[in-house]
Amino acid sequence: MKTYTFVSFVFALIFHAGPFVLATEAGALASSTKSFGGYDYPNLYDEAMPMLWASKLVYSFAKLLEAGREGSLDLGDTFPPEVLAAYKDKRLDVRDMEGGNGLPFNKVVEIVVANAENLKEIESEWEYVGNIIQKIQAAEDADQSSDDFFFETFSSIDAATQCVYGVLKDNKNKRVVVVFRGSTDLSTRDWQTNLSAQLEGMKTPKLLKDSLKGKLKKRVLVHRGFYRYIFNNKRAKGDQRYDMILNDIKPFVEQGYKIYVTGHSLGAALSSLLAFKLAGSDKSWIPKPITCISYASPFVGTDGFRTAFTLLEQMGHIRYLRVNNDADTVPTIPPFSLGLKRRMMKHVGINLRLSDDSFILSHPNSNGWGFVNAVRNSVLKPVWSVLKYHSLQTHEERMDAQKETLQNLHLNDLYDDGKLLGKEFNRDEL
């Protein structure tokens, strides 16, 4: 059983002249991949869906490891001995396995399948997770390619004080994927992080300093909790998450490889900040553009952050698809920061807003975007159904309903769409 698809995953009234594009306005059929800057990118659906699955399964894998560490789940018959010996007291780091490639994903599949019955006891959404695994297994059985997909690191042992993330390597599609877990329970600092909505000054990335004005040359204002969880966590014992991630991914960013960042909810916010930092870095080994595909992200920064982020998009340093359900409350919060520096919070990137029978694409650079999207982002949402509309399962169901249309779109083509991005948005192709 091979692993191609498994790692791919593990990893109304609208102004037609305005910034929004309805699903029914999609153009002619597009090829499955398109080259941009010498790299072949999949169509919108095939690029986004693997990131959704990775964003879901990072929750389940963290639960599996936690149960193993606590002794409620016996992983002795399924984990490689060298992995089992290390993970109980340290984070899971398998980068040295298989000649420096990492843990093959067919082995990860075996671990998950072998512990399926036990996982039912610890995974409340096991039926959905099981359906994902069935899809993956069917695709794997149909694929005869070699094992090109590997699991590298998973940092969850310190989840009580730090965010949880994993790193994957995909030799088939030449990409390294960083996936963040979203919020869980009160045994972690996830919810304290979410509620720390004061503003924090984040250093302006080096590649942007000469292109911005005033205070933006030095800093942009972002959500304090999200920022500190990655870059300045006072409770971290050892390196900050950002430094750990750089160390994790650097050995695997080979010639021609790209970096993808993804996550759901809190994980989406963290992925946005990491992608912004990487895209603006002057480190020569970090390939551009960085791709971020997030699901149900809350607000991350203020207007200055949006200005800097949009400039990185124009420079061709970042590609960002922010996906959310139209009735989800989480992407509408926090509408403004807390504390003395109270500012309106802003979204960034190309937004794919899903409904039951259609979708809308938008970007903040277009004229008229602010007022119309402010109405759409109203906090007057069906709060009582937040779990349904916030769930990745609902995202997947709605994307599946629009699969054919989404497969005819490419993220790079959207960035070249003057109607969607605005006439003054001119992107550089690296």
Side-chain angles (χ1 to χ4, degrees):
M1 185 172 65
K2 303 301 178 182
T3 59
Y4 178 97
T5 305
F6 178 79
V7 79
S8 294
F9 80 73
V10 140
F11 281 87
L13 292 178
I14 301 295
F15 299 105
H16 290 284
F20 300 106
V21 177
L22 289 169
T24 53
E25 296 178 19
L29 289 176
S31 60
S32 58
T33 63
K34 278 191 176 182
S35 180
F36 177 79
Y39 184 86
D40 292 333
Y41 290 96
N43 61 66
L44 200 66
Y45 179 91
D46 291 342
E47 190 170 20
M49 190 56 70
M51 300 301 120
L52 183 149
W53 286 341
S55 296
K56 176 58 187 175
L57 291 182
V58 68
Y59 289 94
S60 299
F61 199 70
K63 291 178 181 178
L64 183 149
L65 290 182
E66 182 180 2
R69 289 186 176 116
E70 293 176 346
S72 59
L73 190 63
D74 184 6
L75 302 179
D77 294 332
T78 53
F79 261 58
E82 61 270 36
V83 176
L84 196 64
Y87 93 99
K88 287 190 175 182
D89 300 316
K90 303 177 181 177
R91 73 179 187 132
L92 192 63
D93 186 346
V94 291
R95 289 176 290 175
D96 292 335
M97 293 184 64
E98 299 291 324
N101 277 313
L103 180 66
F105 268 94
N106 58 353
K107 187 62 182 178
V108 178
V109 173
E110 292 174 11
I111 293 171
V112 173
V113 172
N115 291 283
E117 291 302 316
N118 292 320
L119 281 171
K120 292 179 182 178
E121 302 298 322
I122 60 176
E123 174 54 78
S124 60
E125 295 185 284
W126 173 252
E127 183 176 352
Y128 173 46
V129 173
N131 287 336
I132 292 177
I133 293 174
Q134 288 180 2
K135 295 176 187 178
I136 295 161
Q137 286 181 304
E140 287 173 345
D141 291 340
D143 187 270
Q144 298 300 315
S145 62
S146 60
D147 293 335
D148 283 333
F149 311 98
F150 299 89
F151 189 90
E152 306 301 344
T153 66
F154 195 84
S155 298
S156 65
I157 193 168
D158 49 2
T161 56
Q162 298 205 68
C163 61
V164 173
Y165 77 93
V167 173
L168 324 168
K169 185 186 180 186
D170 177 357
N171 288 338
K172 175 69 70 173
N173 295 298
K174 294 186 177 181
R175 62 190 178 193
V176 177
V177 181
V178 180
V179 53
F180 288 98
R181 188 186 70 179
S183 304
T184 54
D185 55 42
L186 296 179
S187 66
T188 71
R189 291 197 59 81
D190 291 347
W191 285 102
Q192 293 96 318
T193 294
N194 292 330
L195 296 173
S196 297
Q198 300 90 343
L199 293 177
E200 183 95 357
M202 178 178 183
K203 287 185 179 180
T204 300
K206 292 182 179 179
L207 293 182
L208 289 179
K209 287 185 176 181
D210 294 336
S211 302
L212 295 170
K213 298 179 181 180
K215 293 182 179 179
L216 292 183
K217 283 182 170 292
K218 295 183 177 181
R219 59 99 180 106
V220 294
L221 296 177
V222 297
H223 186 290
R224 175 180 294 176
F226 301 152
Y227 173 80
R228 291 188 177 181
Y229 225 11
I230 306 178
F231 301 104
N232 190 25
N233 189 339
K234 306 294 185 182
R235 294 172 176 80
K237 296 180 180 179
D239 291 338
Q240 295 293 325
R241 280 299 196 240
Y242 176 66
D243 297 316
M244 292 175 64
I245 291 169
L246 290 183
N247 180 65
D248 287 350
I249 66 177
K250 186 175 181 179
F252 303 107
V253 182
E254 303 172 14
Q255 182 67 33
Y257 278 62
K258 295 296 183 183
I259 297 173
Y260 276 67
V261 191
T262 190
H264 168 248
S265 194
L266 167 63
L270 300 178
S271 69
S272 302
L273 287 178
L274 176 63
F276 175 73
K277 181 75 170 180
L278 293 175
S281 173
D282 64 352
K283 297 181 187 298
S284 60
W285 63 268
I286 298 178
K288 307 301 189 327
I290 302 297
T291 297
C292 182
I293 300 177
S294 74
Y295 290 89
S297 177
F299 287 106
V300 173
T302 64
D303 191 63
F305 173 71
R306 176 193 280 179
T307 297
F309 198 100
T310 302
L311 183 55
L312 283 175
E313 291 177 298
Q314 292 175 313
M315 295 169 69
H317 290 331
I318 194 168
R319 310 160 67 245
Y320 186 17
L321 182 68
R322 182 175 57 83
V323 187
N324 69 277
N325 285 318
D326 63 350
D328 187 3
T329 304
V330 172
T332 71
I333 56 177
F336 51 83
S337 63
L338 302 179
L340 296 177
K341 296 180 180 179
R342 187 161 298 191
R343 307 280 183 85
M344 292 295 295
M345 303 293 279
K346 306 290 185 178
H347 275 308
V348 294
I350 292 179
N351 179 216
L352 172 61
R353 186 190 299 267
L354 302 165
S355 60
D356 285 332
D357 56 4
S358 187
F359 64 83
I360 296 172
L361 290 162
S362 64
H363 188 275
N365 196 65
S366 298
N367 293 329
W369 186 91
F371 172 75
V372 178
N373 209 51
V375 175
R376 291 183 171 277
N377 275 344
S378 169
V379 294
L380 300 177
K381 301 273 188 173
V383 179
W384 55 88
S385 57
V386 63
L387 294 180
K388 172 185 175 181
Y389 292 110
H390 190 57
S391 77
L392 283 166
Q393 183 173 0
T394 304
H395 284 80
E396 181 172 357
E397 290 170 352
R398 289 179 166 186
M399 289 180 67
D400 282 342
Q402 302 297 323
K403 180 177 180 179
E404 183 176 352
T405 305
L406 292 173
Q407 284 183 324
N408 296 333
L409 300 173
H410 285 77
L411 186 56
N412 292 319
D413 290 343
L414 297 179
Y415 271 110
D416 292 331
D417 187 336
K419 180 179 178 181
L420 177 65
L421 273 294
K423 294 180 180 180
E424 296 182 359
F425 187 94
N426 296 311
R427 185 174 60 145
D428 297 330
E429 180 171 335
L430 298 179

